[in-house]
Amino acid sequence: MVATVNKIIPFSTVDGPGNRTAIFLQGCNMNCLYCHNPETRGKCMHCGACVNSCPTGALSLKGKRVSYDCRKCIHCDSCINVCPYDSSPKTAEMTAEEVWQAVQKQIPFIRGITVSGGECTLYPEFMLELFTLAQANGLSTLIDSNGTLDFELYPDLLDVTDGVMLDIKAFDPEEHKRVTGLSNELVIKNARYLASKAKLYELRTVVSPGLYNTEQTIIQTADLLSPYLSIRPIRYKLISYRPMGVRPQYKETLQIPTHKQMEYYAGLLAAKGFKDIIII
Ligand code: SF4
Ligand code: SF4
């Protein structure tokens, strides 16, 4: 099974518990206004627009395709800043076996792997193969998802998944559509289903005052999921909007919450029975 890989970070301490290898897959079916890595959204069209932006000659046109030489790359991001397709010339098509070969080198130093994106669940069969290999070798497996794959239809994938980190970007379907371009019926269905199966490891909500009704989202999400906390504790990560990496047209219009606002939302969650609440 093949996926388009944006990057593999050998050691990450921010993508789940312990030291983990994080694999970022290319492509996303949402278009969040506050997206912090828009270069993971689209597919490279090999248009060549980025080639001349590269200061080191790491990019070149070979026939009708852009070629990337990682040995020359200084990671300046000039190429992704000029890409008109929210993509990157540094992506690679890799089989699950090839990604596993890269992960295997880190086994003595990591507790598990996390697959993120873009939206990694665009590649469910690839993840099934990769996670099967990882679990067979004693690694834990986490999915970082926007919740648009109907997990109930992929029991084999869930069997080899230790937990899902799920974004709740707004509870109201219309607000969710305004923030992300998609409605959230499936996201909410997944949240309930995953919690009932003890597979919901973490919820994440990005807070930007005025973007959507945050209080309503927090309360309704907590009401939906607090009955399942006795099955498995669910971490709730409240993420303050920050403009780093955000597309220029949205940078100026979105607001950063105060710490006091974030503490208020954490208090709402605590009152509903959530114990593991992180503000970042
Ligand atoms: S990364 Fe973007 S700019 Fe570069 S070739 Fe691909 S689509 Fe064109
Ligand atoms: S990130 Fe690498 S490939 Fe892209 S422009 Fe900079 S040096 Fe070139």
Side-chain angles (χ1 to χ4, degrees):
M1 286 299 163
V2 175
T4 308
V5 176
N6 179 278
K7 65 181 166 198
I8 298 174
I9 297 180
F11 306 111
S12 167
T13 54
V14 295
D15 292 292
N19 210 4
R20 315 183 71 79
T21 295
I23 299 120
F24 294 81
L25 303 185
Q26 184 74 17
C28 188
N29 49 359
M30 285 189 184
N31 189 9
C32 303
L33 300 179
Y34 50 65
C35 182
H36 290 87
N37 47 7
E39 74 280 5
T40 63
R41 289 196 57 249
K43 192 174 168 54
C44 176
M45 308 302 283
H46 294 275
C47 69
C50 56
V51 171
N52 289 335
S53 73
C54 180
T56 63
L59 302 175
S60 57
L61 263 178
K62 295 232 164 77
K64 292 189 171 158
R65 295 186 72 81
V66 167
S67 167
Y68 166 62
D69 184 347
C70 63
R71 292 163 305 178
K72 293 183 181 170
C73 181
I74 56 169
H75 306 288
C76 67
D77 287 351
S78 299
C79 50
I80 62 175
N81 290 336
V82 300
C83 177
Y85 295 100
D86 280 350
S87 190
S88 160
K90 302 190 280 181
T91 60
E93 301 292 309
M94 296 177 76
T95 63
E97 181 62 38
E98 285 169 332
V99 171
W100 174 244
Q101 296 301 327
V103 170
Q104 248 184 335
K105 296 176 196 155
Q106 328 304 339
I107 285 180
F109 315 108
I110 58 174
R111 184 158 149 194
I113 64 171
T114 299
V115 183
S116 182
E119 175 49 38
C120 62
T121 63
L122 295 177
Y123 305 93
E125 287 82 14
F126 168 92
M127 293 212 301
L128 172 61
E129 193 178 336
L130 178 63
F131 279 11
T132 302
L133 287 164
Q135 278 205 341
N137 286 274
L139 297 177
S140 68
T141 52
L142 287 180
I143 296 175
D144 174 359
S145 174
N146 66 15
T148 51
L149 177 79
D150 189 343
F151 283 99
E152 197 170 356
L153 303 180
Y154 290 85
D156 292 350
L157 176 59
L158 269 193
D159 279 348
V160 290
T161 300
D162 290 305
V164 177
M165 300 185 284
L166 187 73
D167 295 337
I168 302 285
K169 295 167 189 281
F171 200 91
D172 178 80
E174 284 306 312
E175 286 191 333
H176 192 277
K177 196 166 184 180
R178 187 162 45 72
V179 174
T180 71
L182 282 184
S183 188
N184 65 353
E185 277 89 359
L186 194 49
V187 181
I188 300 301
K189 179 193 173 215
N190 274 323
R192 196 189 292 113
Y193 179 73
L194 291 168
S196 73
K197 296 290 177 190
K199 293 287 184 179
L200 189 55
Y201 170 73
E202 180 177 286
L203 293 160
R204 286 117 169 247
T205 295
V206 174
V207 178
S208 174
L211 183 60
Y212 63 92
N213 188 332
T214 310
E215 181 160 343
Q216 182 198 52
T217 287
I218 301 282
I219 289 173
Q220 291 187 295
T221 305
D223 283 342
L224 177 79
L225 298 174
S226 56
Y228 301 101
L229 289 171
S230 56
I231 299 175
R232 176 184 182 165
I234 304 167
R235 169 175 290 174
Y236 208 124
K237 199 179 265 181
L238 293 168
I239 304 171
S240 303
Y241 164 75
R242 293 179 184 85
M244 277 82 75
V246 174
R247 286 166 286 193
Q249 63 267 41
Y250 302 121
K251 238 177 205 170
E252 304 302 321
T253 51
L254 298 176
Q255 290 179 44
I256 301 170
T258 63
H259 191 67
K260 202 170 166 192
Q261 285 172 311
M262 297 300 281
E263 283 187 325
Y264 173 71
Y265 296 132
L268 295 177
L269 287 169
K272 298 281 184 185
F274 281 78
K275 293 194 169 23
D276 187 3
I277 306 162
I278 296 178
I279 296 175
I280 60 170

